[in-house]
Structures are given as C-alpha cells and as structure tokens.
Amino acid sequence: MSTDGELFALLETHLPRANRLREQLHAEPELSGTESMTRDLVLQHLPPSGTPVTKVAETGAVVRIGGPGPAIGMRGELDALPISEETGAPFSSTRDGVMHACGHDVHLAALVAVAWTIHESDLDFPLLAVLQPREETYPSGALDISEDGILEEEQCAAMLGAHLQPILDAGTVACVPGGVNASADEFEILVHGTSGHAAYPHLTADPVLAMAGVIVALQTIVSRSVDPMTAAVVGVSSLNAGSAANVVPATARATGTIRAMSSTTRALLRSRIEDIASNVARAHGCAADVQLTSGEPVLENDPQLVEAVSKHLHARGLTLSTTLRSLGADDFSYFSERIPSAMLFIGSESSAHLHASDFLPTAADLRVTAQALLAGYLGAVERVRAGG
C-alpha cells in the first residue's frame, strides 16, 4: 500500500498538466446551464474510468474512477460568472462578459490531478468525480444531482468539496465541523397602495412611505428576534417605486436575502418577514404581498469526517484554520444533507476577492487545493472504513 508521502509525491507529477488544464478552463468559461464544453473538456482529462460516464443535471456528469463498491465523492463546479475579466493574465477569458471569478477552474483542475493520483496508485477505494453545473444560479445543479439518485446508485459514502477563499492566508486550509455556510433564501415584498397626485397625499395610500417603514422594521428581526449569539442576516438589496416626482405610485417593490446558520433560525426569519411586511403596510393603509424563494440549506460538515481529514492535512504541514464560518452559501449543502460531507476552504495568493473582475488564483493555490482534496480523500476512506 502506498504511503501518504508517496501519494503526495505522485500528485506533484500531475500538477503541471492540471495547471495547463486550469488555464484552458479559465480562457474558455461557460455560464451556468451552458457548461457542456467545460464538462467534456474535463472528461477528456480525467483518467480512463472503465465504467460509463453518467450525464446528470443536463450539463453535468458523474464518473467512477476505480472498481465497484462504496466510493468517495468529490465535487467540482463547472460554471463561470457573468463578469468581464480584468486580470491581464495571458490565459484571460476569451469570452466577453464571462469569467471564472470564483475559482471553479482551479477546483476542477485540482480534482483531475487527484483523480490521476488515485488511478495510478495502488489505492483500492474508488473515487466518484462529480462534475456539477449551475452552482452560481438557480435551479441548483447540486440539488438536481442529489435528487437524481445517482449518488445512492454509485454508493457514494462521503462527499468532499474545496473552495478557494481569499480571506484566508495563502497555504491555509479551513476544515471546520458543523455549519460552515448559511442557508440562503430570497424574498420579494410588494406593497400595494392608492396612487394619486403628490400634492394631495391625504387622498392616497402611499406605498413608498409604507415600504420605508417595512424596511426599517425588518432590521429589528436579527437584533430583537434572534438570539444575539446566533449568526443571521436579513438584508434588503433592491428597492423600486414610482417614476415621477409629483406622483404617488400604486406599488413599491423590495427584494433581499435571508441567511441563517440553523433551520430553526431560518424558519423564524421567514415568518417574521411576512408578519412585519403585512402589519406595517396595513398600518399605513396599504397591503403587502411577500414571496419567499427557498435556496440552499445550511452546509454542515460531518464532525467525524473533519477529524479524519484534519489529521491528513496536518501531516502535510498545511496551516489549519478551525474557526472559519461564513454566511455565504454553497449548494454543496444539498450533498451534506444526504451524505457525510466536508467542504474545505483554501486560502489564496490573490489580492482580490471572490466574484471580483481581477480575482486570479495562482498555480500555488491550485497545488494547495489538490493537496487538500487528496488529504480529504484519505480521511474520507478512513472514516468510511471505520464505519463512522
């Protein structure tokens, strides 16, 4: 059986090819739901699977590397973002207004390097490469895959993911048990009033004033309804009403986000938004309609899996963070609802942050991401074999 040192040395031999793949992926990004070429490119670079490739979620795929039996899943996201790149890199996006600004190109290339390492070693525990579309938009590609039944069919016993996170120092890996990313829902509030001439406000029911009251009152939910030791966000992000200075409009519209780190808090926030919008609007002689759109659940890292993975990360000499939690969201959480899972956050040498037009991870970031995923695989195998 190969030692850990031998496995990581083998991984090093695959990193140059993985870096070339990363540059090609970065230069040819595709938006959510259109990732067929990206999927096919990654499939071409994976080792021979010996089993048929399963196409999933329209533009995704699941590939078994190794023989039959329980397998360790590893997610790589296929999609890019509608952003115009400003990195100046020689492998910058060749597609106007589309860019890999969230590190998905790095995640995919690292997955390929790990897959080849496992393929060429004497490890006997299969890897399930999950090439997932639509991470950046709804409907979620992870939700489609998790509901497809393919993971159960392939006996996926644990799921791993890695995500670059430039708020961490380069070379640092966050491996944290429990909730690490928030649930993410959206809301739309329509306040209906009575329009009229702005010079005669007493003859109108002003939805703008009512909406202003609603927005201010929404800010009391986290400060007065949620335990102050609990993380949560209710934020209004867009506001639209009227088109003329001398006309009271008939409606006002606001949209926003709801973030929570537990299902209990999530339900509370949703309920309070509906109560506040309806009652504040009524106090102004208006009526409110609230539309809630459910997004990702809380992303929960399996504690036993995290413990096993952390041991291998430490053995590689990687700097570990055990505190990073974020109210950001990732649809990897749909996997963690069904399967023992671990999302690893990887520090980056980039001076820019995620979704910025100048976000550009380095080859060193790719190396750490691949090392973290291989350590994750080794820890997951231990956890599954231990029956945890």
Side-chain angles (χ1 to χ4, degrees), residues 76-95:
E77 316 97 300
L78 296 167
D79 53 341
L81 287 157
I83 295 174
S84 295
E85 182 163 357
E86 297 179 322
T87 66
F91 50 89
S92 290
S93 172
T94 59
R95 296 174 179 169

Side-chain angles (χ1 to χ4, degrees), residues 21 24-25 28 36-46:
L21 171 61
Q24 186 174 356
L25 290 168
E28 301 172 359
S36 297
M37 291 178 61
T38 301
R39 175 198 62 202
D40 292 345
L41 178 60
V42 175
L43 289 175
Q44 291 168 19
H45 282 78
L46 284 170

Side-chain angles (χ1 to χ4, degrees), residues 24-362:
Q24 186 174 356
L25 290 168
H26 192 90
E28 301 172 359
E30 293 181 296
L31 292 174
S32 303
T34 68
E35 310 99 328
S36 297
M37 291 178 61
T38 301
R39 175 198 62 202
D40 292 345
L41 178 60
V42 175
L43 289 175
Q44 291 168 19
H45 282 78
L46 284 170
S49 64
T51 57
V53 172
T54 303
K55 301 292 181 66
V56 294
E58 297 178 356
T59 53
V62 173
V63 186
R64 174 177 284 265
I65 309 297
I72 304 301
M74 193 172 291
R75 190 277 295 266
E77 316 97 300
L78 296 167
D79 53 341
L81 287 157
I83 295 174
S84 295
E85 182 163 357
E86 297 179 322
T87 66
F91 50 89
S92 290
S93 172
T94 59
R95 296 174 179 169
D96 291 343
V98 185
M99 175 192 175
H100 272 296
C102 203
H104 294 183
D105 50 339
V106 173
H107 308 160
L108 289 166
L111 189 162
V112 168
V114 172
W116 273 102
T117 301
I118 294 169
H119 174 71
E120 292 186 349
S121 73
D122 56 3
L123 296 171
D124 60 357
F125 211 102
L127 175 72
L128 203 63
V130 179
L131 308 183
Q132 182 213 307
R134 287 182 276 109
E135 192 277 327
E136 297 288 359
T137 62
Y138 299 130
S140 158
L143 177 60
D144 285 352
I145 293 172
S146 66
E147 291 184 340
D148 181 83
I150 183 64
L151 298 180
E152 289 79 9
E153 181 180 328
E154 293 287 353
Q155 302 179 63
C156 185
M159 180 66 78
L160 299 167
H163 205 298
L164 290 171
Q165 179 48 273
I167 66 173
L168 291 170
D169 291 337
T172 298
V173 180
C175 186
V176 183
V180 294
N181 270 161
S183 61
D185 302 325
E186 295 180 356
F187 64 86
E188 177 188 63
I189 301 172
L190 288 175
V191 173
H192 306 277
T194 303
S195 62
H197 199 299
Y200 308 100
H202 60 296
L203 301 179
T204 71
D206 189 348
V208 177
L209 181 60
M211 182 64 85
V214 169
I215 292 172
V216 171
L218 290 179
Q219 306 313 303
T220 67
I221 297 176
V222 173
S223 66
R224 290 297 178 268
S225 297
V226 176
D227 184 330
M229 301 301 291
T230 301
V233 165
V234 175
V236 176
S237 303
S238 73
L239 178 62
N240 305 97
S243 58
N246 62 347
V247 177
V248 173
T251 61
R253 176 179 178 269
T255 65
T257 189
I258 311 167
R259 305 292 174 114
M261 293 297 282
S262 75
S263 58
T264 301
T265 304
R266 184 185 193 185
L268 171 66
L269 298 179
R270 292 166 65 104
S271 175
R272 293 293 293 134
I273 288 171
E274 292 184 304
D275 289 344
I276 285 173
S278 297
N279 290 311
V280 172
R282 187 180 302 113
H284 287 81
C286 298
D289 293 327
V290 179
Q291 180 69 44
L292 298 171
T293 301
S294 296
E296 300 91 335
V298 177
L299 198 169
E300 296 273 356
N301 275 354
D302 179 79
Q304 291 173 297
L305 181 55
V306 164
E307 182 179 2
V309 172
S310 296
K311 180 180 69 175
H312 287 277
L313 291 169
H314 181 73
R316 292 310 307 157
L318 295 170
T319 302
L320 296 186
S321 167
T322 58
T323 59
L324 179 68
R325 302 181 194 275
S326 166
L327 288 177
D330 192 301
D331 66 358
F332 185 83
S333 57
Y334 288 115
F335 301 131
S336 73
E337 276 192 321
R338 295 169 176 259
I339 303 166
S341 300
M343 169 63 78
L344 309 177
F345 296 102
I346 317 297
S348 173
E349 292 185 336
S350 174
S351 60
H353 288 285
L354 300 175
H355 292 208
S357 60
D358 56 345
F359 178 63
L360 188 67
T362 66

